Coordinates of all heavy atoms in Angstrom, one line a residue:
M1 N 9.8 -23.8 -13.2 CA 10.1 -23.2 -11.9 C 9.9 -24.3 -10.8 O 8.8 -24.8 -10.8 CB 9.3 -22.0 -11.7 CG 9.6 -21.2 -10.4 SD 8.5 -19.8 -10.1 CE 9.0 -18.7 -11.4
P2 N 10.9 -24.5 -10.0 CA 10.7 -25.5 -8.9 C 9.6 -25.1 -8.0 O 9.2 -24.0 -7.8 CB 12.0 -25.5 -8.2 CG 13.0 -24.9 -9.2 CD 12.2 -24.0 -10.0
I3 N 8.9 -26.1 -7.4 CA 7.8 -25.9 -6.5 C 8.1 -25.0 -5.3 O 7.4 -24.2 -5.0 CB 7.2 -27.3 -6.1 CG1 6.5 -28.0 -7.2 CG2 6.2 -27.1 -4.9 CD1 6.0 -29.3 -7.0
L4 N 9.3 -25.2 -4.7 CA 9.7 -24.4 -3.6 C 9.8 -22.9 -3.9 O 9.4 -22.1 -3.2 CB 11.0 -24.9 -2.9 CG 10.9 -26.2 -2.2 CD1 12.3 -26.7 -1.7 CD2 9.9 -26.1 -1.0
V5 N 10.3 -22.7 -5.1 CA 10.4 -21.3 -5.6 C 9.1 -20.7 -5.8 O 8.8 -19.6 -5.5 CB 11.3 -21.2 -6.9 CG1 11.3 -19.8 -7.5 CG2 12.7 -21.7 -6.6
Q6 N 8.2 -21.5 -6.4 CA 6.8 -21.0 -6.6 C 6.1 -20.7 -5.3 O 5.4 -19.8 -5.1 CB 6.0 -22.1 -7.4 CG 6.4 -22.2 -8.8 CD 5.6 -23.3 -9.5 OE1 5.1 -24.2 -8.9 NE2 5.7 -23.3 -10.9
Q7 N 6.3 -21.6 -4.3 CA 5.7 -21.4 -3.0 C 6.2 -20.2 -2.3 O 5.5 -19.4 -1.7 CB 5.9 -22.7 -2.1 CG 5.1 -23.9 -2.5 CD 5.5 -25.1 -1.7 OE1 6.5 -25.2 -1.1 NE2 4.6 -26.1 -1.7
R8 N 7.5 -20.0 -2.4 CA 8.1 -18.8 -1.8 C 7.6 -17.5 -2.5 O 7.3 -16.5 -1.8 CB 9.7 -18.8 -2.0 CG 10.4 -17.8 -1.2 CD 11.9 -17.9 -1.2 NE 12.4 -19.2 -1.3 CZ 13.3 -19.6 -2.2 NH1 13.8 -18.7 -3.0 NH2 13.7 -20.8 -2.2
A9 N 7.5 -17.5 -3.8 CA 6.9 -16.4 -4.6 C 5.5 -16.1 -4.2 O 5.1 -15.0 -4.0 CB 7.1 -16.6 -6.1
A10 N 4.7 -17.2 -4.0 CA 3.3 -17.0 -3.6 C 3.2 -16.5 -2.2 O 2.4 -15.6 -1.9 CB 2.6 -18.4 -3.7
K11 N 4.1 -16.9 -1.3 CA 4.1 -16.4 0.0 C 4.5 -14.9 0.1 O 3.9 -14.1 0.8 CB 5.0 -17.2 0.9 CG 5.0 -16.8 2.3 CD 5.9 -17.7 3.2 CE 5.9 -17.3 4.6 NZ 6.7 -18.1 5.5
E12 N 5.5 -14.5 -0.7 CA 5.9 -13.1 -0.8 C 4.8 -12.3 -1.3 O 4.5 -11.2 -0.8 CB 7.1 -13.0 -1.7 CG 8.4 -13.4 -1.0 CD 8.7 -12.5 0.2 OE1 8.6 -11.2 0.0 OE2 9.1 -13.0 1.2
M13 N 4.0 -12.8 -2.4 CA 2.9 -12.0 -2.9 C 1.8 -11.9 -1.9 O 1.3 -10.8 -1.7 CB 2.4 -12.7 -4.2 CG 1.2 -11.9 -4.7 SD 1.5 -10.2 -5.2 CE 2.4 -10.4 -6.7
A14 N 1.5 -12.9 -1.1 CA 0.5 -12.9 -0.1 C 0.9 -11.9 1.0 O 0.0 -11.1 1.5 CB 0.2 -14.3 0.5
N15 N 2.1 -11.9 1.4 CA 2.6 -11.0 2.4 C 2.5 -9.5 1.9 O 2.1 -8.6 2.7 CB 4.0 -11.3 2.8 CG 4.1 -12.6 3.7 OD1 3.2 -13.0 4.3 ND2 5.3 -13.2 3.7
A16 N 2.9 -9.3 0.7 CA 2.8 -8.0 0.1 C 1.4 -7.5 0.1 O 1.1 -6.3 0.4 CB 3.4 -7.9 -1.3
V17 N 0.5 -8.4 -0.3 CA -0.9 -8.0 -0.4 C -1.5 -7.7 1.0 O -2.1 -6.7 1.2 CB -1.8 -9.1 -1.0 CG1 -3.3 -8.9 -0.8 CG2 -1.5 -9.2 -2.5
A18 N -1.1 -8.5 2.0 CA -1.6 -8.3 3.4 C -1.0 -6.9 3.9 O -1.8 -6.2 4.5 CB -1.2 -9.4 4.3
R19 N 0.3 -6.7 3.8 CA 0.9 -5.5 4.3 C 0.2 -4.3 3.6 O -0.1 -3.3 4.2 CB 2.4 -5.4 4.0 CG 3.2 -6.3 5.0 CD 4.7 -6.0 4.9 NE 5.1 -6.2 3.5 CZ 5.6 -7.3 3.0 NH1 5.6 -8.4 3.7 NH2 6.0 -7.4 1.7
S20 N 0.1 -4.4 2.3 CA -0.5 -3.2 1.5 C -1.9 -3.0 1.8 O -2.4 -1.9 1.9 CB -0.3 -3.5 0.0 OG 1.1 -3.5 -0.3
A21 N -2.7 -4.1 2.1 CA -4.1 -3.9 2.4 C -4.2 -3.1 3.7 O -5.1 -2.2 3.8 CB -4.8 -5.2 2.5
E22 N -3.4 -3.4 4.7 CA -3.4 -2.7 6.0 C -3.1 -1.3 5.8 O -3.7 -0.4 6.3 CB -2.5 -3.4 7.0 CG -3.0 -4.7 7.4 CD -2.0 -5.5 8.3 OE1 -0.9 -4.9 8.6 OE2 -2.3 -6.6 8.7
R23 N -2.0 -1.0 5.0 CA -1.6 0.4 4.8 C -2.6 1.1 4.0 O -2.9 2.3 4.3 CB -0.2 0.4 4.1 CG 0.9 -0.1 4.9 CD 2.2 0.0 4.2 NE 3.3 -0.4 5.0 CZ 4.2 -1.2 4.6 NH1 4.2 -1.7 3.3 NH2 5.2 -1.6 5.4
L24 N -3.2 0.5 3.0 CA -4.2 1.2 2.2 C -5.4 1.5 3.0 O -6.1 2.5 2.8 CB -4.5 0.4 0.9 CG -3.4 0.4 -0.1 CD1 -3.7 -0.6 -1.2 CD2 -3.1 1.8 -0.7
D25 N -5.8 0.6 3.9 CA -6.9 0.9 4.7 C -6.7 2.1 5.6 O -7.6 3.0 5.7 CB -7.2 -0.4 5.6 CG -8.5 -0.2 6.5 OD1 -9.5 0.2 5.9 OD2 -8.3 -0.4 7.7
G26 N -5.5 2.2 6.1 CA -5.2 3.4 6.9 C -5.1 4.6 6.1 O -5.6 5.7 6.5
A27 N -4.6 4.5 4.9 CA -4.6 5.7 4.0 C -6.0 6.1 3.6 O -6.3 7.3 3.5 CB -3.8 5.3 2.7
A28 N -6.9 5.1 3.4 CA -8.3 5.5 3.1 C -9.0 6.2 4.2 O -9.7 7.2 4.0 CB -9.1 4.2 2.7
R29 N -8.7 5.8 5.4 CA -9.2 6.5 6.6 C -8.7 8.0 6.6 O -9.4 8.9 7.0 CB -8.9 5.8 7.9 CG -9.7 4.5 8.0 CD -9.4 3.9 9.4 NE -9.5 2.5 9.2 CZ -9.0 1.6 10.0 NH1 -8.3 2.0 11.1 NH2 -9.2 0.3 9.8
F30 N -7.4 8.1 6.3 CA -6.8 9.4 6.3 C -7.4 10.3 5.2 O -7.7 11.5 5.5 CB -5.3 9.3 6.1 CG -4.5 10.5 6.4 CD1 -4.5 11.0 7.7 CD2 -3.9 11.2 5.5 CE1 -3.8 12.2 8.0 CE2 -3.2 12.4 5.7 CZ -3.1 12.9 7.0
V31 N -7.6 9.7 4.1 CA -8.3 10.5 3.0 C -9.7 10.9 3.4 O -10.1 12.1 3.2 CB -8.3 9.6 1.7 CG1 -9.3 10.3 0.7 CG2 -6.9 9.5 1.1
A32 N -10.4 10.0 4.1 CA -11.8 10.4 4.6 C -11.7 11.6 5.5 O -12.5 12.5 5.5 CB -12.4 9.2 5.2
M33 N -10.7 11.5 6.4 CA -10.5 12.6 7.3 C -10.2 13.9 6.6 O -10.7 15.0 6.9 CB -9.3 12.3 8.3 CG -9.1 13.4 9.3 SD -7.6 13.2 10.3 CE -6.4 13.6 9.0
L34 N -9.3 13.8 5.6 CA -9.0 15.0 4.8 C -10.2 15.6 4.1 O -10.4 16.8 3.9 CB -7.9 14.7 3.8 CG -6.5 14.4 4.4 CD1 -5.5 14.0 3.3 CD2 -6.0 15.6 5.1
E35 N -11.1 14.7 3.6 CA -12.3 15.1 2.9 C -13.2 15.8 3.9 O -13.8 16.8 3.5 CB -13.0 13.9 2.3 CG -12.4 13.3 1.1 CD -13.0 12.0 0.6 OE1 -13.7 11.3 1.4 OE2 -12.8 11.6 -0.5
D36 N -13.3 15.4 5.1 CA -14.1 16.1 6.1 C -13.6 17.5 6.3 O -14.3 18.4 6.6 CB -14.1 15.3 7.4 CG -14.9 14.0 7.3 OD1 -15.7 13.9 6.3 OD2 -14.8 13.1 8.2
K37 N -12.2 17.6 6.3 CA -11.6 18.9 6.5 C -11.9 19.9 5.4 O -11.8 21.1 5.6 CB -10.1 18.8 6.7 CG -9.7 18.1 8.0 CD -8.2 18.0 8.1 CE -7.6 19.4 8.4 NZ -6.1 19.3 8.7
T38 N -12.2 19.4 4.2 CA -12.3 20.3 3.1 C -13.5 21.3 3.2 O -13.5 22.3 2.5 CB -12.4 19.6 1.7 OG1 -13.5 18.7 1.8 CG2 -11.1 18.8 1.5
D39 N -14.4 20.9 4.0 CA -15.6 21.8 4.2 C -15.3 23.1 4.8 O -15.8 24.2 4.5 CB -16.7 21.1 5.0 CG -17.3 19.9 4.3 OD1 -17.3 19.9 3.1 OD2 -17.8 19.0 5.0
N40 N -14.3 23.1 5.8 CA -14.1 24.4 6.5 C -12.6 24.6 6.9 O -12.3 25.5 7.6 CB -14.9 24.4 7.8 CG -14.7 23.3 8.7 OD1 -13.8 22.4 8.4 ND2 -15.5 23.2 9.8
E41 N -11.7 23.7 6.5 CA -10.3 23.9 6.8 C -9.5 23.7 5.6 O -9.9 23.0 4.6 CB -9.9 22.8 7.8 CG -10.5 23.0 9.2 CD -10.1 22.0 10.2 OE1 -8.9 21.8 10.3 OE2 -10.9 21.4 10.9
R42 N -8.3 24.2 5.6 CA -7.3 24.0 4.6 C -6.5 22.7 4.8 O -6.2 22.4 5.9 CB -6.4 25.2 4.5 CG -5.5 25.1 3.4 CD -4.7 26.4 3.2 NE -3.9 26.3 2.1 CZ -3.0 27.1 1.7 NH1 -2.8 28.2 2.4 NH2 -2.3 26.9 0.7
I43 N -6.3 21.9 3.8 CA -5.5 20.7 3.9 C -4.1 21.0 3.7 O -3.7 21.6 2.7 CB -6.0 19.7 2.9 CG1 -7.5 19.3 3.1 CG2 -5.1 18.4 2.9 CD1 -8.1 18.4 2.1
A44 N -3.3 20.5 4.6 CA -1.8 20.8 4.6 C -1.2 19.8 3.5 O -1.6 18.7 3.3 CB -1.2 20.5 5.9
P45 N -0.2 20.3 2.8 CA 0.4 19.5 1.8 C 1.0 18.2 2.3 O 1.1 17.2 1.7 CB 1.5 20.4 1.2 CG 1.1 21.8 1.5 CD 0.3 21.7 2.7
G46 N 1.4 18.3 3.6 CA 2.0 17.1 4.2 C 1.0 16.0 4.4 O 1.4 14.8 4.3
G47 N -0.3 16.3 4.5 CA -1.3 15.3 4.6 C -1.4 14.5 3.3 O -1.5 13.3 3.3
L48 N -1.5 15.3 2.2 CA -1.5 14.6 0.9 C -0.3 13.8 0.6 O -0.3 12.8 0.0 CB -1.8 15.7 -0.2 CG -3.1 16.4 -0.1 CD1 -3.2 17.5 -1.1 CD2 -4.3 15.5 -0.2
A49 N 0.9 14.4 1.0 CA 2.1 13.7 0.8 C 2.2 12.4 1.5 O 2.7 11.4 1.0 CB 3.3 14.6 1.2
A50 N 1.6 12.3 2.7 CA 1.6 11.1 3.5 C 0.8 10.0 2.8 O 1.2 8.8 2.7 CB 1.0 11.4 4.9
V51 N -0.4 10.4 2.3 CA -1.2 9.4 1.5 C -0.5 8.9 0.3 O -0.5 7.7 0.0 CB -2.6 10.0 1.2 CG1 -3.4 9.1 0.3 CG2 -3.4 10.3 2.5
R52 N 0.1 9.8 -0.4 CA 0.9 9.5 -1.6 C 2.0 8.5 -1.3 O 2.3 7.5 -2.0 CB 1.4 10.7 -2.3 CG 2.2 10.3 -3.6 CD 2.6 11.5 -4.4 NE 3.4 12.3 -3.5 CZ 4.2 13.3 -3.9 NH1 4.2 13.6 -5.2 NH2 4.9 14.0 -3.1
A53 N 2.7 8.8 -0.2 CA 3.8 7.9 0.2 C 3.4 6.5 0.5 O 4.0 5.5 0.2 CB 4.6 8.5 1.5
V54 N 2.2 6.4 1.2 CA 1.7 5.1 1.5 C 1.3 4.3 0.2 O 1.7 3.2 0.0 CB 0.4 5.2 2.4 CG1 -0.3 3.8 2.4 CG2 0.8 5.6 3.8
A55 N 0.7 5.0 -0.8 CA 0.3 4.4 -2.0 C 1.6 4.0 -2.8 O 1.6 2.9 -3.4 CB -0.5 5.4 -2.9
E56 N 2.6 4.8 -2.8 CA 3.8 4.5 -3.5 C 4.5 3.3 -2.9 O 5.1 2.5 -3.6 CB 4.7 5.7 -3.6 CG 4.2 6.8 -4.6 CD 5.1 8.0 -4.5 OE1 5.9 8.2 -3.6 OE2 4.8 8.9 -5.4
T57 N 4.5 3.2 -1.6 CA 5.1 2.1 -0.9 C 4.4 0.8 -1.3 O 5.1 -0.2 -1.5 CB 5.1 2.3 0.6 OG1 5.9 3.5 1.0 CG2 5.7 1.1 1.4
C58 N 3.1 0.8 -1.2 CA 2.3 -0.3 -1.6 C 2.6 -0.8 -3.0 O 2.7 -1.9 -3.3 CB 0.8 -0.1 -1.4 SG 0.4 0.2 0.4
A59 N 2.6 0.2 -3.9 CA 2.9 -0.1 -5.3 C 4.2 -0.7 -5.5 O 4.4 -1.7 -6.3 CB 2.7 1.2 -6.2
G60 N 5.2 -0.2 -4.8 CA 6.6 -0.8 -4.8 C 6.6 -2.2 -4.3 O 7.3 -3.0 -4.9
E61 N 5.9 -2.5 -3.2 CA 5.9 -3.8 -2.7 C 5.2 -4.8 -3.7 O 5.7 -5.9 -3.9 CB 5.1 -3.9 -1.4 CG 6.0 -3.3 -0.2 CD 5.3 -3.5 1.1 OE1 4.2 -4.0 1.2 OE2 5.9 -3.1 2.1
F62 N 4.1 -4.3 -4.3 CA 3.5 -5.2 -5.3 C 4.5 -5.4 -6.5 O 4.6 -6.5 -7.0 CB 2.2 -4.5 -5.9 CG 1.0 -4.7 -4.9 CD1 0.3 -3.6 -4.6 CD2 0.7 -5.9 -4.4 CE1 -0.8 -3.8 -3.7 CE2 -0.4 -6.1 -3.5 CZ -1.1 -5.0 -3.2
D63 N 5.1 -4.4 -7.0 CA 6.1 -4.6 -8.1 C 7.2 -5.6 -7.7 O 7.5 -6.5 -8.5 CB 6.7 -3.2 -8.5 CG 5.8 -2.3 -9.2 OD1 4.7 -2.8 -9.7 OD2 6.1 -1.1 -9.3
D64 N 7.7 -5.4 -6.5 CA 8.8 -6.4 -6.1 C 8.3 -7.8 -6.0 O 8.9 -8.7 -6.4 CB 9.3 -5.9 -4.7 CG 10.1 -4.6 -4.9 OD1 10.5 -4.2 -6.0 OD2 10.4 -4.0 -3.8
A65 N 7.1 -7.9 -5.5 CA 6.5 -9.3 -5.3 C 6.2 -9.9 -6.7 O 6.4 -11.1 -6.9 CB 5.2 -9.2 -4.5
W66 N 5.7 -9.1 -7.6 CA 5.4 -9.7 -9.0 C 6.7 -10.1 -9.7 O 6.6 -11.0 -10.5 CB 4.6 -8.7 -9.8 CG 3.2 -8.7 -9.5 CD1 2.5 -7.7 -8.9 CD2 2.2 -9.7 -9.7 NE1 1.1 -8.1 -8.8 CE2 1.0 -9.3 -9.3 CE3 2.3 -11.0 -10.3 CZ2 -0.2 -10.1 -9.4 CZ3 1.2 -11.8 -10.4 CH2 0.0 -11.3 -9.9
K67 N 7.8 -9.4 -9.4 CA 9.1 -9.8 -10.0 C 9.5 -11.2 -9.7 O 10.1 -11.9 -10.4 CB 10.2 -8.9 -9.6 CG 10.1 -7.5 -10.2 CD 11.1 -6.6 -9.7 CE 10.9 -5.2 -10.2 NZ 11.8 -4.2 -9.6
E68 N 9.0 -11.7 -8.5 CA 9.3 -13.0 -8.0 C 8.4 -14.1 -8.7 O 8.7 -15.3 -8.6 CB 9.2 -13.1 -6.5 CG 10.1 -12.2 -5.8 CD 11.6 -12.6 -5.9 OE1 11.9 -13.8 -6.0 OE2 12.4 -11.6 -6.1
V69 N 7.3 -13.7 -9.3 CA 6.4 -14.6 -9.8 C 6.7 -15.0 -11.2 O 7.2 -14.3 -12.0 CB 4.9 -14.1 -9.8 CG1 3.9 -15.0 -10.4 CG2 4.5 -13.8 -8.3

């Protein structure tokens, strides 16, 4: 694999990791908020779906980035 292709793949992976880390951090905060609600409130299905969507997006980005490596 040519060096430029390797560098581009490494950059894509680093970008995917950075984007996903930010999104997962936000999702973790949202999960913590949902956990706090479980004591006395009902959790809406939309809240869980939002966290799942973030996780699936991150997983997709990782899959795409790994295809380049």
Side-chain angles (χ1 to χ4, degrees):
M1 184 182 294
I3 290 177
L4 288 177
V5 173
Q6 290 175 343
Q7 289 174 340
R8 190 174 329 129
K11 184 177 180 180
E12 281 297 314
M13 179 57 78
N15 287 339
V17 168
R19 283 190 306 269
S20 293
E22 290 173 2
R23 288 183 181 132
L24 289 172
D25 183 53
R29 288 186 212 158
F30 193 67
V31 167
M33 181 192 72
L34 292 175
E35 288 173 339
D36 289 344
K37 288 179 74 171
T38 60
D39 290 338
N40 57 4
E41 294 180 46
R42 188 169 179 188
I43 297 173
L48 296 175
V51 174
R52 182 176 56 167
V54 169
E56 288 174 351
T57 298
C58 293
E61 284 187 359
F62 282 131
D63 286 343
D64 292 343
W66 278 113
K67 288 177 187 174
E68 300 294 322
V69 176

